[in-house]
Amino acid sequence: MPAHCQLTGTQPGFGKTISHSHRRTSRRFDPNIQRKRYWLPSEGRHVRLTLSTKAIKTVDTIGVEAAVARIRARGGKI
């Protein structure tokens, strides 16, 4: 599963882990990505979205129709 959110575009961040002795090693900060299924009444079907947990709360606030419109405006395919 890709580690980016379809709604917000959140992607992994990269940085360093610093040990007690101050050695630096590369690491990756992944967003909390979940696959969630929503009913899309305008098309009469279910859609499965790959969303971060913050985006799931956004969908609960603005509604699935508005969220799908935003994803399509960003050029995402559903």
Side-chain angles (χ1 to χ4, degrees):
M1 181 167 56
H4 75 277
C5 176
Q6 288 180 307
L7 182 61
T8 61
T10 306
Q11 294 180 336
F14 295 91
K16 301 286 185 183
T17 297
I18 302 178
S19 69
H20 182 70
S21 64
H22 231 63
R23 283 179 173 256
R24 290 171 170 87
T25 55
S26 295
R27 65 160 293 179
R28 180 173 148 149
F29 298 91
D30 285 328
N32 189 359
I33 298 293
Q34 308 292 323
R35 284 179 57 88
K36 190 132 169 70
R37 187 172 170 240
Y38 289 100
W39 173 251
L40 195 57
S42 64
E43 297 181 14
R45 67 183 182 106
H46 285 94
V47 291
R48 190 173 298 274
L49 302 176
T50 304
L51 302 171
S52 64
T53 50
K54 182 179 179 180
I56 290 172
K57 294 173 189 173
T58 303
V59 171
D60 291 342
T61 303
I62 67 173
V64 69
E65 296 285 345
V68 167
R70 283 188 191 179
I71 293 170
R72 287 183 173 147
R74 293 183 72 235
K77 186 178 175 185
I78 296 176

